[in-house]
Amino acid sequence: MWRTIGVSQRVSKMGNAMRGVIAFIPSERCQRFLVGDLKEMPLDRTLDLSSRQLRRLPVTACVFDELVKLYLSDNNLSSLPAELQGLKKLQLLALDFNCFEELPAAVCRLPQLSILYLGNNRLYHLPRELGDLKELNTLWLETNCFTVFPKVVCELSNLKTLHLGYNQIRSLPKELGQLEELRSIWLAGNELAEFPPVLLEMHFLAVIDVDRNKIYQFPGLSHMQGLKLVIYDHNPCINAPVVGEGVRRVGRWADCSDDEQEEDASKAASETTAEVTEVRPEEEHNS
C-alpha cells in the first residue's frame, strides 16, 4: 500500500513539473494539454480554468459568447487577449492569484460584468475605463500594491461590496460618498491613521472593516442607522466606536459597556500622557 502511495505522489509531482514546463511553450498542442479541448459551450455556461499554470488565455476560450462565469484564478497570467471582450454576457470574472500589474483593457468592455475578482495580483492603479462597468456590484482588490485609493472606483454607481484589504492605503477620498448602493467595505491591513471621515457620512453602510490599521481614536457611529457590523481589532486605539443598539463590534472593549470603555480609555490616555512626559526631559536634554 505504501508503495502505491509513493508512486502516486511521484506521478503527481511529475505531472505538476510537466505542466510547469509546458506552460512556457505557446503551441496549440500544449495549450490543449493544459486546458483540454474547448469545443462546446459548458451546459452551465461556466468555464473553470483555475490552477492550470497558464501564462496566456487560449483564444478558443473566448468563442463562447453565451458564457456567464469564467474562472482564471491561480495561474501565471499577466495579460488577456482582446477577444475576451466578445463575452458580452459574462457576469463573473475571477482573475485573483495571478501576475497582473495592469488591468487588461478587455475586462472594461464586458457590459454585464457584476462580480470581479482581482485580489492577490500586483496592481497599483486602475484604468479610468473601469468606470464603464455600470453593472459591477462586487469588486475584490485585496492584497495588491495600491498606495492610493483608486478613485475610478467612485464611479461604479451600482457597487455594493468593496474589498480593498491588505494594500498600503492611507486615506479614502470624499468622492466615495457618491456610492449610495455600497453596503460593505473591507479595509483591513492598510495604513489608515484615522477613521476615514467619508465613512461617517455613508449612513447606509452595513459592514465596515478597518481591522489591522493604525487608528488611534474612533468616532461615534451610533448615527449610522444601517450599520450591522464594525471590525476594528488590532488598532492602537484608546477607545471602541460607540454604535447603535444591535450593532456587532469586533475588537477591544467590544463586550464592555460605554462606561467601562470610557474608564479604560481615560486610563489609557493617562498612561500615554505620562509616557510622553517622561520622555520629554531627555529629548530636551539631547537637543
Side-chain angles (χ1 to χ4, degrees), residues 70-86:
L70 177 58
Y71 294 91
L72 298 172
S73 307
D74 189 26
N75 281 293
N76 297 307
L77 298 169
S78 58
S79 64
L80 293 173
E83 288 83 354
L84 182 78
Q85 66 191 47

Side-chain angles (χ1 to χ4, degrees), residues 21-94:
V21 172
I22 290 176
F24 282 95
I25 308 174
S27 71
E28 292 303 319
R29 180 177 298 177
C30 292
Q31 288 296 312
R32 282 198 299 272
F33 176 86
L34 291 171
V35 304
D37 289 324
L38 301 175
K39 294 181 179 179
E40 297 182 0
M41 162 72 72
L43 294 177
D44 58 359
R45 298 197 292 173
T46 297
L47 182 58
D48 189 351
L49 296 177
S50 300
S51 305
R52 306 296 180 95
Q53 301 189 29
L54 294 174
R55 292 183 177 272
R56 66 184 183 89
L57 177 66
V59 175
T60 51
C62 302
V63 301
F64 304 129
D65 54 7
E66 297 291 319
L67 206 63
V68 173
K69 298 178 181 179
L70 177 58
Y71 294 91
L72 298 172
S73 307
D74 189 26
N75 281 293
N76 297 307
L77 298 169
S78 58
S79 64
L80 293 173
E83 288 83 354
L84 182 78
Q85 66 191 47
L87 304 180
K88 299 300 184 184
K89 296 185 179 181
L90 199 67
Q91 298 175 16
L92 183 153
L93 177 60

Side-chain angles (χ1 to χ4, degrees), residues 147-165:
T147 57
V148 177
F149 185 95
K151 279 193 176 182
V152 66
V153 170
C154 301
E155 299 176 20
L156 301 171
S157 57
N158 201 40
L159 197 64
K160 293 178 173 58
T161 301
L162 175 61
H163 290 263
L164 252 173

Side-chain angles (χ1 to χ4, degrees), residues 163-189:
H163 290 263
L164 252 173
Y166 300 96
N167 283 281
Q168 301 173 49
I169 294 171
R170 296 179 180 272
S171 62
L172 304 184
K174 62 181 181 179
E175 290 84 356
L176 186 67
Q178 301 169 182
L179 300 183
E180 297 182 357
E181 296 297 319
L182 194 65
R183 293 296 177 268
S184 61
I185 184 164
W186 306 82
L187 298 165

